[in-house]
Amino acid sequence: MKSFSSLALTLSLLAQSNASSLIPRQQKNPAWSVSNFNSLITFGDSYTDESRLGYFISHNGSAPPPGTLLPESFATAGGGRTWPRYVVQYTGSTVNGGWDPQMTLYNYAVSGAVCSNEITPRWLPSINNNFPSVLEYEVPAFQADLVSPRINATPPEPYFTPPLTAASAVYALWIGTNDLGVWAFITDSQIPGKVLSDYTSCVYDVFDGLYASGGRMFVLMNTAPLHLAPLYANASAHGVGPNQYWADKPSNLTEIAETMHEYTSTVNNVFKYQTPFEALVAKRYPGAQFALMDMYSLISDIYDDPTAYLNGTDVTSWMYDNHCNVNQTVCVKSDNGTNPDGFLWYDELHPSEQTDRVIARNFVQVLNGTSKYATYY
Ligand SMILES: *[C@@H]1O[C@H](CO)[C@@H](O)[C@H](O)[C@H]1NC(C)=O
Ligand SMILES: *[C@@H]1O[C@H](CO)[C@@H](O)[C@H](O)[C@H]1NC(C)=O
Ligand SMILES: *[C@@H]1O[C@H](CO)[C@@H](O)[C@H](O)[C@H]1NC(C)=O
Ligand SMILES: *[C@@H]1O[C@H](CO)[C@@H](O)[C@H](O)[C@H]1NC(C)=O
Ligand SMILES: *[C@@H]1O[C@H](CO)[C@@H](O)[C@H](O)[C@H]1NC(C)=O
Ligand SMILES: *[C@@H]1O[C@H](CO)[C@@H](O)[C@H](O)[C@H]1NC(C)=O
Ligand SMILES: *[C@@H]1O[C@H](CO)[C@@H](O)[C@H](O)[C@H]1NC(C)=O
């Protein structure tokens, strides 16, 4: 009886606090305002990486030393600039003819990363190591930068300038594409005994680390509808056979698409219920604010109505722009590269630059407390 009533009390408290945080769509969430933020700190994989994996590859597997501010890239895995760089562009302004960014981007995402290499390690021969992961590499790299001077800064200054504060720094995590994908869960390549909830638990462990380092404003981006990406789609949704990312891909595309759909839907439902549970019931991160950004719905909306979001000369949601052979020795762009903004997907796996612009526009609304794709806790 006692445990039942305390469960009922907990549930009714959850319902109350949910009711107050589940604001009507489009109405502004008062805890969030884009003008508050001057530092955007991102964690994730190739969907977010600008140049960090490139640094590892060009330095024989060594990580950038603490204090290194990595450069902008115009040729990321999505074919152009990546979404957090567009967030910087969309929130900055031109003042007296000069570019005046509101935010500095500190991007810890590494192409190929998973949440934890204790769950789904993936080997990268060119760095003679596993792809660096969020929990074991990206978060510690951020923490090392917190106590480092900025390399090559004259006059000398701390790496984070202006300094990070609880209100002015926002942290975004978008991870799962590789964890659920090839050479991880979908090929049963996880460390034996590891399950999907080990991956979702890892996501909250990442926020533990960021919280311990002073982070309070968090955006968790859920997993994309990967069963719509050519790499994982079924035959009628134009899935591809063996390719640069999956050379020995099995022939039953239905099985792959259905399994991937189950994985993304399941982990996204965990995020939907565990995020308010950790924030509001367990009080795991006192004083922190969460925005859960529904990437699954945003990218599905683009897929279902591509002309509303894509602006190339010829718009398609299922074709992709960059076609490489299996061993990546030859790559050819559709329409000779004249239509990059017409595609949702740049290649078999990655959203295009125009999709990244759409993501960035919506991310700005998330930071402003006004996104229909966000739920705030
Ligand atoms: C590159 O790193 C490997 C270890 O991962 C080492 O054996 C090798 O000597 C390094 N090569 C150079 C040129 O530093
Ligand atoms: C293929 O995938 C699409 C998109 O998820 C779905 O609507 C369709 O029912 C699937 N077709 C088959 C034959 O499984
Ligand atoms: C492909 O996989 C699906 C789902 O597992 C199964 O129903 C179907 O029979 C398989 N098709 C072939 C040709 O093996
Ligand atoms: C599509 O829109 C973006 C702005 O969102 C713009 O930068 C880009 O040049 C446009 N592309 C084309 C082909 O017009
Ligand atoms: C790469 O793949 C092509 C076929 O797509 C093949 O002709 C070629 O020999 C391969 N090259 C290497 C270096 O494996
Ligand atoms: C692409 O460009 C090449 C040479 O520049 C040309 O021969 C070819 O016809 C073009 N293809 C398309 C589809 O425009
Ligand atoms: C953020 O919200 C405020 C108030 O609702 C609004 O005035 C402002 O234009 C919004 N900013 C952006 C970038 O959407």
Side-chain angles (χ1 to χ4, degrees):
M1 279 310 275
K2 184 160 185 280
S3 67
F4 173 78
S5 63
S6 73
L7 174 65
L9 176 63
T10 306
L11 289 174
S12 85
L13 285 174
L14 177 59
Q16 280 170 26
S17 47
N18 243 335
S20 59
S21 58
L22 279 178
I23 53 167
R25 300 292 194 203
Q26 308 291 13
Q27 189 180 316
K28 194 170 168 66
N29 182 304
W32 292 79
S33 185
V34 67
S35 58
N36 289 349
F37 300 114
N38 59 28
S39 301
L40 171 61
I41 305 163
T42 54
F43 301 86
D45 52 32
S46 57
Y47 281 11
T48 305
D49 184 12
E50 273 195 303
S51 49
R52 199 166 279 267
L53 180 65
Y55 187 102
F56 277 88
I57 292 173
S58 62
H59 293 77
N60 192 31
S62 299
T68 309
L69 189 62
L70 293 170
E72 178 171 12
S73 169
F74 293 86
T76 68
R81 299 163 81 216
T82 193
W83 70 267
R85 190 55 68 183
Y86 276 108
V87 172
V88 173
Q89 178 179 322
Y90 295 163
T91 52
S93 53
T94 300
V95 176
N96 298 328
W99 173 239
D100 184 27
Q102 176 190 312
M103 289 191 210
T104 304
L105 172 62
Y106 304 96
N107 191 339
Y108 293 92
V110 182
S111 298
V114 295
C115 192
S116 172
N117 283 343
E118 303 289 313
I119 302 168
T120 48
R122 296 162 74 252
W123 188 258
L124 179 60
S126 64
I127 65 170
N128 194 32
N129 212 330
N130 292 320
F131 284 97
S133 60
V134 180
L135 192 62
E136 290 89 12
Y137 165 70
E138 297 182 22
V139 172
F142 158 68
Q143 290 166 333
D145 284 342
L146 275 177
V147 291
S148 296
R150 172 102 44 105
I151 286 180
N152 292 337
T154 38
E157 61 182 11
Y159 182 71
F160 291 102
T161 303
L164 306 181
T165 69
S168 68
V170 61
Y171 302 76
L173 172 62
W174 192 14
I175 193 69
T177 293
N178 298 309
D179 312 62
L180 303 181
V182 193
W183 315 134
F185 278 110
I186 208 162
T187 50
D188 295 317
S189 317
Q190 69 274 14
I191 288 176
K194 296 297 182 184
V195 293
L196 293 180
S197 57
D198 290 310
Y199 150 73
T200 52
S201 293
C202 171
V203 162
Y204 297 96
D205 293 344
V206 168
F207 288 114
D208 285 336
L210 301 178
Y211 183 88
S213 297
R216 292 295 181 270
M217 305 300 287
F218 299 131
V219 181
L220 171 56
M221 302 162 83
N222 73 4
T223 61
L226 293 169
H227 65 293
L228 303 178
L231 182 58
Y232 298 116
N234 64 28
S236 46
H238 309 278
V240 296
N243 64 83
Q244 60 172 331
Y245 297 124
W246 196 350
D248 62 350
K249 186 177 176 183
S251 61
N252 192 334
L253 302 190
T254 304
E255 187 176 2
I256 291 166
E258 293 296 323
T259 304
M260 184 51 91
H261 195 185
E262 290 161 17
Y263 286 177
T264 55
S265 301
T266 297
V267 302
N268 286 348
N269 264 293
V270 171
F271 295 141
K272 179 174 169 182
Y273 293 105
Q274 191 168 352
T275 306
F277 175 80
E278 300 294 359
L280 305 175
V281 180
K283 303 199 185 308
R284 180 165 170 172
Y285 316 95
Q289 299 286 333
F290 277 86
L292 177 59
M293 183 174 179
D294 190 356
M295 304 307 295
Y296 187 99
S297 293
L298 173 58
I299 294 176
S300 297
D301 285 352
I302 303 173
Y303 188 89
D304 290 340
D305 189 9
T307 52
Y309 301 89
L310 309 176
N311 58 346
T313 44
D314 191 9
V315 164
T316 160
S317 54
W318 56 265
M319 279 196 290
Y320 57 100
D321 193 6
N322 194 42
H323 294 254
C324 298
N325 62 354
V326 164
N327 49 36
Q328 295 181 319
T329 48
V330 181
C331 295
V332 178
K333 295 218 171 87
S334 305
D335 304 321
N336 276 349
T338 57
N339 186 32
D341 295 338
F343 297 89
L344 191 169
W345 306 104
Y346 173 67
D347 62 16
E348 298 89 338
L349 181 61
H350 296 96
S352 69
E353 182 170 34
Q354 177 59 20
T355 302
D356 271 26
R357 292 189 189 106
V358 175
I359 293 169
R361 270 205 300 274
N362 283 279
F363 188 88
V364 172
Q365 297 308 312
V366 171
L367 297 189
N368 210 27
T370 50
S371 175
K372 67 171 178 171
Y373 292 105
T375 314
Y376 298 94
Y377 302 104

